[in-house]
Amino acid sequence: MSFEERIAGVVREAARAAYGVELEVVHVERPNETAHGDFATNVALANAKAFRRNPREVAERLAEALDAPLVERVEIAGPGFINFWLTREALWQELETLLREGEDYGRGADSGEPVLLEFVSVNPTGPMTVAHGRHAAYGDSLARIMQAAGGEVTREYYFNDGGNQIRLLGESVAVRYAELHDREWSVSDPEALYRGEYIRDIARDFSSERGDTFLGMDQNKALTEIQAFAVGWCMEDIKKTLGRARVVFDSYFNEKSLYESGAIEELLRDLREGGYVYESEGALWLASSKLGDDKDRVLVKQDGSYTYMAPDIAYHRDKWNRGYRTAVDVLGADHAGYPPRIRAGLAALGIPGEFLDVELIRLVKLLRGGEQVKVSKRAGTFVTFDELLDEVGEDVARYFYVRSSHQTEMNFDLDLAIQQSDENPVFYVQYAHARIASIFARAGINPGELREMVPGDLAPEERALTLQLLDFPRVVRNAAARREVHPIPTYLETLAARFHQFYTVNRVLVDDEALRDRRLALCAATKAVLANGLNLLGVNAPEKM
RNA sequence: GCGCCCGUAGCUCAACUGGAUAGAGCAGCGGACUUCUAAUCCGCAGGUUGCAGGUUCGAGUCCUGCCGGGCGCGCCA
C-alpha cells in the first residue's frame, strides 16, 4: 500500500475517533515545498463546513486523534493543511520493498481486464512520416504504461490493403515501372499519382525481381500484381521502421477479413433487425442521430458500396466479440467526428459507449527553418520517420515525441530537432543512470547484491530523492488511467534532478560502512526506477555514456 | 454558424484533474572539477497563466461571456 493510502487510512480513523464521522474522500498529496512535509492533506479544509468548525480547529483535533507509527510528526499549517513527516524507518522499509521488486516496482496488480489498443493503423501506401512517428511512440509507450499498471494490453494495427488509395499506389508504381523499360502506362488521372521517391524504389525492386513481363500483358491483370507487390513492399517498410523504433504489434488486422468473414453482412442484418437503419435517396442510413450522434450517417452508398462506417463498426464489434471490454483507439485529431459515429453504431448493437476510448493526437506541424511546410504524401513533400531516426537516433526521437502531451499541437522542425538533439533532456535522465552504474563499477559490486542495511538519518537530498522514488507507482497508475504518456518523462526528469543533486552533495563511497551501504541502496533504487521508467518509453538505460 | 480541443517565462513544455510562494530545460548573465562521469551542480534575471466577470477558505485548473489559434460538421477515410 502506498504512503498516500496509508495516511488516508489513519486520517479516516482519526475522523472516526474524533468526530464519529466516516470521511468519503481523503486527498493526500506530496507538497511542492519541503517545508510543508513529506505528505499533506486538505481534509480539514474540505470538511470544515460539515463539521461546523473552522478548518484549523478541525485539523488540530484530527492531528490529536492521529494514531500512526509511520508518522514522526505532524504540523497544522496555512489555512488548515495537515502536514506529515514520516519516520526514517517507514521510508527505508519502502526502499527495501522497491529494491526487492526491482524491475517490477511500479507494476500494479493484474486487473485481468483485457484491453485492445489500436494505433498507427496507417494504410500501406508509403513510408511512415514524422507524424506517424508520434502515433507510434505514443501508442507503444501507452501500451507499456497500461501494462505496467496491470492492464492486459493487446496492440493491434488495423489496415486496409484495398480501395482507391491502394489502386492509386499500384498505378503510380506501374507508371514508373513502365518508364524503367522505356514504355508508357496510361492512367485515368496522372495528376493524382503519388510522386515520392519511394515509388521509383518499389518500381525498381519490382522490375529486378519480376522482369518486364508485366508490360506485355493485360493492364488490369498486371496492375493487380504490381499493386500486391507495392502493398507488400510498403507494409514491409513500415514494419521495418516500427521495429527500429522498438514498436511491436501483437496483431495486424486486415479490413478485408471483415468482408471475407461475412462480418459486415451480419452487421447490416443485425442493424436492420434492430430497426436502426432505413433507406432513403437510394442509400442505406444508420439512424445515428437517435444514438448520440449529430446526424444520421450513410452505411451503404447509392452505388451499393460501403462507406467506412460499415467496416469500422463491424471491426469494433469484432473487438467486443473477442472479449475486450475496453478498446482504446489512437487517432489523428482530424478524426474528431469519428467517436460519436462509431459509438452510435455500437449502441445499436447493445455495446456501451464506454467501451470505446478514443485518444486524439494533435497534428504535427512541419516546419523548416521556422517556415511551415505543406505536407503531402502525394506530392512527396514529407519527412519520413526513418529520416528522423537516422538523424537523431531512436532514444532522442522517442523521448522527444512523448515529452509533451499528445493533446498539444507539435511544431516539428527537422533542422532544429537535429541541431538540438544533443541537448535533449533524455540524456539528462540517461546520464543519471550511467553515473550510478559507474559508482557500482567503482565499488566493484552489483546493484542486486547489496548488504543488509541499517536505517539511518536521511540528509535533505536523500530524503527528497527517496520520496521521489516512492512516487513512481502512483505516477504510472495515473498516467495509465488518464491515457497520458508525458507524465513519465516529467517524472523521470525530476527524479534525475533529485539524484544529481544528491550526488553533488553526498559522496556515496565513503569509509563509514553503514552510511555507504545506505547510499548504495539509494543508488540501486534510483537506478532501478530510472531503468523502469525509461523502459516504459522504449528508451535505453545505458551503463556508460 | 454549430460542436470539440488549445492559449502558462523570449522559445519548447510541466504543474499529482481545486491547494500553500505557478516550476523545468533551452537561450542570457555569474560562480563550482587534484575527490564515485562537469552530458553535472549552485546562484541571478525572466510571469497580470489571452481578456473580463463568477463560484469558494483557496482557481492556471471549475462556470459564463468575449479575443486569438487548431480540428471537425462528406454517399472521403
Side-chain angles (χ1 to χ4, degrees):
Chain A
M1 211 194 307
S2 71
F3 280 134
E4 280 96 338
E5 289 163 330
R6 284 154 74 182
I7 292 169
V10 298
V11 169
R12 275 204 184 82
E13 271 174 43
R16 232 170 297 165
Y19 292 99
V21 167
E22 197 60 40
L23 294 175
E24 281 173 22
V25 279
V26 178
H27 182 66
V28 177
E29 64 174 15
R30 280 183 58 211
N32 296 322
E33 200 73 43
T34 54
H36 293 153
D38 299 335
F39 292 91
T41 181
N42 64 351
V43 274
L45 287 155
N47 295 284
K49 253 193 192 144
F51 293 152
R52 301 167 145 271
R53 289 279 181 281
N54 84 60
R56 285 196 69 107
E57 208 179 310
V58 175
E60 296 283 358
R61 194 152 159 207
L62 287 175
E64 272 167 36
L66 215 60
D67 177 26
L70 80 158
V71 177
E72 185 163 275
R73 70 187 171 94
V74 295
E75 210 175 85
I76 313 304
F81 290 102
I82 309 177
N83 298 334
F84 301 86
W85 279 262
L86 303 186
T87 65
R88 62 188 204 188
E89 285 75 16
L91 292 171
W92 282 112
Q93 210 172 21
E94 278 303 300
L95 276 173
E96 274 174 0
T97 305
L98 191 171
L99 287 167
R100 205 171 45 244
E101 295 184 1
E103 61 182 33
D104 285 332
Y105 186 67
R107 194 164 287 279
D110 285 348
S111 67
E113 208 210 305
V115 176
L116 189 83
L117 177 64
E118 182 207 332
F119 62 110
V120 181
S121 294
V122 19
N123 286 340
T125 60
M128 289 183 75
T129 65
V130 287
H132 300 137
R134 189 179 195 185
H135 285 244
Y138 168 81
D140 179 69
S141 296
L142 182 62
R144 293 172 190 239
I145 291 164
M146 289 176 71
Q147 271 161 350
E152 209 177 281
V153 183
T154 304
R155 304 131 184 255
E156 190 155 277
Y157 186 123
Y158 178 69
F159 69 103
N160 182 11
D161 56 6
N164 285 335
Q165 280 181 51
I166 302 292
R167 185 182 168 81
L168 209 55
L169 171 73
E171 286 189 336
S172 306
V173 172
V175 168
R176 297 300 180 203
Y177 169 60
E179 261 176 30
L180 285 174
H181 297 278
D182 295 318
R183 300 275 287 274
E184 290 218 348
W185 190 287
S186 64
V187 292
S188 48
D189 185 5
E191 287 300 305
L193 296 178
Y194 290 107
R195 302 194 191 292
E197 191 55 34
Y198 68 97
I199 297 293
R200 289 176 201 274
D201 295 339
I202 302 173
R204 217 168 287 130
D205 286 355
F206 183 75
S207 180
S208 63
E209 272 182 40
R210 313 286 282 272
D212 62 357
T213 50
F214 293 86
L215 292 165
M217 64 170 73
D218 171 62
Q219 261 208 6
N220 272 331
K221 223 168 174 180
L223 194 60
T224 309
E225 286 293 320
I226 295 170
Q227 197 173 294
F229 182 88
V231 164
W233 193 98
C234 289
M235 208 65 214
E236 200 64 24
D237 182 70
I238 289 167
K239 284 183 184 174
K240 210 164 68 194
T241 306
L242 287 169
R244 245 190 108 178
R246 304 162 191 147
V247 177
V248 182
F249 283 91
D250 300 303
S251 70
Y252 287 81
F253 194 106
N254 191 338
E255 182 181 323
K256 223 184 261 170
S257 68
L258 293 166
Y259 292 86
E260 289 162 357
S261 70
I264 294 179
E265 289 306 315
E266 193 184 337
L267 170 77
L268 293 173
R269 199 187 59 224
D270 292 347
L271 288 176
R272 249 187 264 268
E273 276 175 16
Y276 290 104
V277 294
Y278 62 90
E279 289 193 33
S280 172
E281 302 164 50
L284 187 71
W285 295 71
L286 174 69
S288 42
S289 61
K290 293 201 182 87
L291 299 161
D293 195 8
D294 295 343
K295 46 177 103 166
D296 292 351
R297 310 282 170 184
V298 172
L299 288 167
V300 184
K301 299 184 227 172
Q302 264 179 0
D303 66 6
S305 64
Y306 300 119
T307 65
Y308 71 97
M309 286 275 289
D312 279 14
I313 294 169
Y315 173 46
H316 283 86
R317 180 193 212 181
D318 182 81
K319 291 179 181 177
W320 175 270
N321 287 343
R322 277 186 272 162
Y324 297 104
R325 287 302 170 265
T326 303
V328 181
D329 287 15
V330 178
L331 302 172
D334 53 337
H335 286 66
Y338 184 89
R341 298 174 206 179
I342 300 301
R343 284 202 190 99
L346 293 173
L349 300 166
I351 299 172
E354 307 87 71
F355 169 61
L356 179 62
D357 173 358
V358 176
E359 292 302 322
L360 297 178
I361 302 218
R362 292 287 118 181
L363 301 177
V364 176
K365 202 193 277 174
L366 201 61
L367 305 170
R368 254 203 196 110
E371 291 286 305
Q372 186 170 352
V373 180
K374 276 269 173 247
V375 184
S376 161
K377 206 174 199 176
R378 266 214 337 250
T381 56
F382 55 87
V383 179
T384 67
F385 190 19
D386 265 322
E387 286 174 83
L388 175 67
L389 294 171
D390 288 341
E391 293 290 351
V392 303
E394 289 76 13
D395 288 345
V396 168
R398 286 207 54 161
Y399 196 86
F400 172 81
Y401 275 127
V402 297
R403 198 172 175 249
S404 47
S405 162
H406 63 282
Q407 290 185 45
T408 307
E409 187 174 294
M410 182 176 247
N411 292 324
F412 191 91
D413 193 322
L414 185 64
D415 300 341
L416 215 62
I418 294 164
Q419 204 180 75
Q420 294 183 347
S421 69
D422 55 347
E423 46 199 48
N424 189 297
V426 72
F427 296 125
Y428 182 78
V429 178
Q430 289 181 317
Y431 183 55
H433 187 268
R435 256 186 161 176
I436 297 171
S438 159
I439 293 171
F440 279 101
R442 176 65 64 108
I445 57 167
N446 189 307
E449 301 161 349
L450 295 170
R451 286 189 296 184
E452 192 92 353
M453 55 173 175
V454 194
D457 284 335
L458 289 152
E461 300 80 18
E462 295 176 305
R463 197 179 188 88
L465 175 58
T466 302
L467 288 166
Q468 181 68 14
L469 283 168
L470 300 180
D471 200 26
F472 184 61
R474 184 192 63 81
V475 172
V476 173
R477 212 170 39 239
N478 274 3
R482 289 159 61 170
R483 316 282 194 241
E484 285 179 333
V485 174
H486 77 275
I488 305 295
T490 303
Y491 168 82
L492 288 174
E493 285 169 40
T494 305
L495 177 60
R498 296 288 168 270
F499 175 75
H500 287 309
Q501 285 157 353
F502 155 79
Y503 179 94
T504 307
V505 179
N506 304 288
R507 195 178 161 77
V508 177
L509 302 177
V510 292
D511 293 335
D512 178 339
E513 282 195 12
L515 185 59
R516 173 192 171 107
D517 287 347
R518 279 201 296 274
R519 289 195 174 152
L520 278 171
L522 206 45
C523 285
T526 307
K527 189 167 184 282
V529 174
L530 284 171
N532 290 357
L534 287 170
N535 184 49
L536 292 179
L537 307 178
V539 172
N540 285 318
E543 296 289 310
K544 264 189 194 152
M545 280 176 79

